[in-house]
Amino acid sequence: MQKFYNRRIAIERSMVKALENEDFQIFYQPKHDSRTGELVGAEALVRWTHPEFGFLSPAEFIPVFEQTGFISEVDFYAWKRTCMNQREWQDKGLRIVPISVNCSRSELLQNDFLHKWFKPLKDSALSAKYMHLEVTESLFTEHFDKLSEVLRECQQRGVKIELDDFGTGYSSLSMFQLLPLDIIK
């Protein structure tokens, strides 16, 4: 237990500096059309090679980030980097596809969420159709009305909303009539 605790403390102590140094890497997991095999999108995944522990499994650092509230910072970092990467690829003449980025409940509930998250889109002059927000079912267990309102505003601005991990516990099919969702995974 002591070893686990020490490792967790080391992760907490180094996470802010890792963000400042841009030590988090964004990997893009492709999404293919199952009928044609065509690339139709991707999901941004945050990975971290810790200076002391090496490559950390997301199963180890994401829960720490969620418990400390740091997940909001990392989610926004992934969003911002993805907007910049999409712009760079487009400028090079590469075909770009929509990329989904995770967004936590705590981030969505921030009063400046829309301004903060749409600024990188505006700065990169990237069409909102190339960026998707990915949320989980557990997002809607509290503050349902506020979250729905924010997600609807995102949709009105052109960003699609994806529900990840459907069926893992909270939603029923009848809830989908109430939720502002575009894609269910």
Side-chain angles (χ1 to χ4, degrees):
M1 282 299 283
Q2 187 63 42
K3 187 176 179 180
F4 171 81
Y5 177 75
N6 289 343
R7 188 171 170 108
R8 180 188 163 97
I9 295 300
I11 289 170
E12 285 184 40
R13 286 186 180 149
S14 57
M15 63 190 187
V16 173
K17 188 162 186 76
L19 185 64
E20 290 169 359
N21 294 338
E22 297 189 9
D23 291 340
F24 296 108
Q25 297 174 299
I26 309 299
F27 287 82
Y28 298 101
Q29 181 175 310
K31 297 177 186 177
H32 294 274
D33 182 311
S34 62
R35 294 168 301 203
T36 66
E38 178 187 6
L39 178 67
V40 294
E43 178 180 354
L45 304 172
V46 176
R47 298 297 180 253
W48 185 16
T49 302
H50 191 275
E52 183 180 347
F53 305 122
F55 183 81
L56 290 178
S57 165
E60 182 173 9
F61 69 86
I62 295 295
V64 174
F65 292 179
E66 288 173 340
Q67 291 166 0
T68 61
F70 190 66
I71 194 68
S72 294
E73 299 299 319
V74 173
D75 286 349
F76 181 66
Y77 172 79
W79 177 263
K80 193 166 56 170
R81 283 286 342 147
T82 299
C83 286
M84 291 178 357
N85 288 342
Q86 290 273 60
R87 177 80 260 161
E88 289 171 18
W89 297 330
Q90 194 170 40
D91 288 347
K92 290 179 180 178
L94 300 173
R95 177 177 168 251
I96 62 172
V97 295
I99 297 179
S100 62
V101 178
N102 288 311
C103 187
S104 67
R105 175 192 358 234
S106 60
E107 187 64 19
L108 283 165
L109 290 172
Q110 295 299 313
N111 289 332
D112 67 342
F113 172 79
L114 291 168
H115 173 75
K116 179 179 175 182
W117 278 62
F118 278 85
K119 187 175 184 327
L121 267 175
K122 183 180 177 186
D123 291 349
S124 65
L126 183 68
S127 172
K129 71 181 183 181
Y130 293 114
M131 297 297 292
H132 293 184
L133 281 178
E134 188 168 306
V135 299
T136 61
E137 289 180 72
S138 63
L139 180 84
F140 297 101
T141 58
E142 297 174 11
H143 309 287
F144 183 88
D145 292 337
K146 169 73 172 160
L147 292 166
S148 293
E149 178 185 323
V150 170
L151 293 177
R152 278 191 182 82
E153 179 64 28
C154 290
Q155 286 175 318
Q156 289 172 358
R157 295 180 182 202
V159 171
K160 293 205 181 292
I161 309 301
E162 296 187 19
L163 179 66
D164 193 21
D165 297 333
F166 172 68
T168 57
Y170 297 96
S171 298
S172 67
L173 290 175
S174 62
M175 278 187 66
F176 291 129
Q177 295 174 349
L178 306 173
L179 299 174
L181 301 172
D182 298 294
I183 298 167
I184 299 171
K185 295 172 37 182

